[in-house]
Amino acid sequence: MKEFLGFLFDNALEIEWRQVVMWLIGGILIFLAIKKDMEPSLLLPMGFGAILVNLPLSGAITQVLSNGEEQEGILNVLFDAGIANELFPLVLFIGIGAMIDFGPLLSNPKLMLFGAAAQFGIFFTLGMASLLGFPLKDAASISIIGAADGPTSIFVANMLKSDYFSAIMVAAYSYMALVPIIQPPVIKLITTKKERMIRMPYEQKDVSKLTRIMFPIVITIITGIFAPTSVVLIGFLMFGNLIRECGVLDSLSETAQKVLANLITIFLGITVASQMTADKFLRPQTIMILAIGLVAFIFDTVGGVCFAKILNLFLKKKINPMIGAAGISAFPMSARVVHKMGLQEDPQNFLLMHSIGVNVSGQIASVIAGGMILNIVMPLVA
C-alpha cells in the first residue's frame, strides 16, 4: 500500500501547471460540445483527448515496455495511420460529398462566383501571417482557417509540415462551430437593413440526372488540369457526390453520409488531440494563430458580402448581399445562418436555397484555394 501511495504521490508531483491549463481547455471544448451543441462529434473527442494526452506518464502518447524502452502510444499510431498519410481527411470528404446536393448550384451556376469571392480572407491572411513573422509554410497553413474547412486545413498543414498543426486544427474546427456567433454581427456591420430585406424569390428548376452525374466528373477533371495539388481532395469530395447522385448506390450513400462521416469525425477529433500536448499547444504563437484565424474567417465573410454589394451596382434585379457570406465552406451552418437572418428582417424572405447554392460552391472553392496555396508555397519551401 505504501508503494502504491508513493507512486500516486510521485505521479502528482510530476503534474505541471501547463498540463492543468490543457485540462481546462479540454473541459471548455467538452462544455461547448455538450452544453452549446457546437460540433459535438468533433469537439467532444478533441476535448477529452486534450485531457487524456496531458495526464502524467500518459500511455496515449508513449508506452513504456517491460525492458524500459519507449514506443509510440495508440494516439500517435492513429495519427501516423490516419492523418500523417491524409487518410482521415480524404475519407471524410467522401462523406461530405455524399451529403451535398449540388442542385441549387446547378440550377443557378453564377452562385459559384460567390464561393470564389468568399475565399478572399485566405489570401489576405497569408500575407498578414507572413508579415507577423510566421514562416511561409506556417503562414500558408494558418490562412486556410478562414475557409472554415477542417479537412482542407488538416491536408494543407500536414502537407506543409506546419509546426503549429494542433493550434491550426483547433482554430479551424472551433470557428466552424462558431459560425452562428461570428457571422451575424459581421454581416450586420457591413450591410444596411434595406439590403438585408432584399427578397430573392426562388424559381425551381429541374436539373437532369445526367447533369448531376456529369458535374462531379467534370469538376474533378477541370481541377486536375488547373489545380493538380487539390485534385485528390476534390476527387474524394466529388466521388462522394457521385455515389449520392448515381442512383444505384443508395445504401452506400446513406452509409457515407452518416456512419462513415460520423466515425471518421470521431477518430479525427481524438487523433488531432494527440498533438495538443502542453509543450506544443501552450505557446504565444497559439494565441496569435487563433486571432489570425478569426481575422481570416471574418474577411472571408466580408469578401463574399462585398462581392454581392458590388454586383448590385450593375444589376437591375438586386441580390441580397447576405448570401455572399455563405460562400465559406462551413456547410450547411453558414447557409442556415443567412436564411435565419433573412427571416428575422422579413418573415416572407426565404433565402435558404440561394444560400445553400452559395455554400456548396464555397465548399468547392475552399478546396481549390487550398490546392492553389499548396501549388504556390510548396516549391518555395521544398
Side-chain angles (χ1 to χ4, degrees):
M1 179 61 111
K2 289 183 178 179
E3 291 180 357
F4 177 69
L5 292 176
F7 171 77
L8 290 180
F9 181 73
D10 292 340
N11 218 13
L13 289 179
E14 292 185 8
I15 297 175
E16 300 178 355
W17 67 268
R18 296 188 302 172
Q19 291 172 290
V20 176
V21 172
M22 291 306 300
W23 299 347
L24 293 174
I25 291 173
I28 291 171
L29 294 177
I30 293 173
F31 171 80
L32 293 175
I34 297 175
K35 186 68 175 179
K36 301 299 182 181
D37 196 25
M38 291 182 176
E39 293 289 319
S41 60
L42 187 74
L43 293 190
L44 184 62
M46 281 178 64
F48 184 81
I51 295 173
L52 178 64
V53 300
N54 285 286
L55 293 172
L57 304 177
S58 174
I61 297 298
T62 57
Q63 294 176 332
V64 180
L65 303 178
S66 57
N67 60 7
E69 295 181 0
E70 290 187 355
Q71 70 174 16
E72 287 189 325
I74 186 63
L75 288 189
N76 273 345
V77 172
L78 270 177
F79 184 88
D80 293 338
I83 293 183
N85 63 4
E86 315 293 353
L87 177 64
F88 288 168
L90 293 178
V91 175
L92 183 57
F93 260 108
I94 295 177
I96 295 172
M99 297 177 195
I100 295 177
D101 178 8
F102 285 115
L105 176 61
L106 293 172
S107 63
N108 190 5
K110 67 175 180 288
L111 295 178
M112 280 290 293
L113 298 173
F114 294 97
Q119 309 311 312
F120 168 74
I122 293 177
F123 297 94
F124 174 85
T125 306
L126 173 58
M128 179 181 174
S130 297
L131 291 174
L132 288 173
F134 283 97
L136 184 58
K137 65 173 185 175
D138 297 316
S141 302
I142 294 167
S143 68
I144 304 297
I145 296 172
D149 186 347
T152 303
S153 297
I154 290 174
F155 187 85
V156 172
N158 198 49
M159 287 286 286
L160 295 176
K161 307 300 180 186
S162 173
D163 295 328
Y164 305 103
F165 186 88
S166 59
I168 291 169
M169 295 308 96
V170 172
Y173 279 105
S174 297
Y175 292 139
M176 281 178 64
L178 293 172
V179 164
I181 296 175
I182 297 172
Q183 279 203 309
V186 175
I187 294 171
K188 286 185 176 181
L189 183 65
I190 58 177
T191 58
T192 64
K193 184 175 181 64
K194 183 179 179 180
E195 287 175 327
R196 295 194 295 272
M197 292 182 68
I198 294 175
R199 290 190 177 186
M200 295 182 65
Y202 181 72
E203 299 175 4
Q204 182 71 38
K205 296 180 182 178
D206 290 331
V207 179
S208 69
K209 183 175 180 178
L210 178 60
T211 301
R212 289 176 176 270
I213 291 174
M214 289 303 298
F215 179 75
I217 298 172
V218 171
I219 288 294
T220 302
I221 293 172
I222 292 174
T223 304
I225 294 172
F226 293 100
T229 309
S230 63
V231 72
V232 178
L233 284 175
I234 279 287
F236 275 67
L237 181 73
M238 292 301 160
F239 175 65
N241 188 251
L242 186 60
I243 292 174
R244 173 194 178 100
E245 300 296 351
C246 69
V248 294
L249 294 172
D250 290 344
S251 60
L252 189 57
S253 173
E254 185 176 348
T255 299
Q257 293 179 46
K258 298 177 182 178
V259 179
L260 180 65
N262 289 334
L263 184 62
I264 291 296
T265 300
I266 290 173
F267 276 125
L268 189 65
I270 201 162
T271 307
V272 165
S274 70
Q275 304 300 298
M276 293 178 66
T277 54
D279 59 322
K280 293 180 180 179
F281 196 82
L282 293 182
R283 296 184 284 181
Q285 292 90 338
T286 298
I287 302 299
M288 291 179 65
I289 288 169
L290 293 172
I292 295 170
L294 179 60
V295 171
F297 188 83
I298 290 173
F299 270 85
D300 270 359
T301 301
V302 170
V305 173
C306 289
F307 179 71
K309 289 165 72 78
I310 291 171
L311 287 183
N312 279 344
L313 297 175
F314 307 97
L315 297 176
K316 290 183 179 180
K317 193 174 182 180
K318 304 300 182 183
I319 298 170
N320 190 312
M322 289 196 298
I323 70 169
I328 63 171
S329 182
F331 176 85
M333 293 86 78
S334 187
R336 290 172 180 166
V337 166
V338 170
H339 176 62
K340 184 177 180 181
M341 291 183 68
L343 292 177
Q344 289 173 346
E345 300 292 345
D346 178 0
Q348 301 302 315
N349 193 8
F350 298 96
L351 298 173
L352 184 60
M353 297 309 293
H354 298 288
S355 58
I356 283 288
V358 173
N359 210 177
V360 298
S361 74
Q363 181 74 68
I364 298 173
S366 68
V367 176
I368 294 175
M372 291 175 63
I373 290 290
L374 288 175
N375 282 338
I376 294 169
V377 174
M378 285 190 72
L380 300 176
V381 300

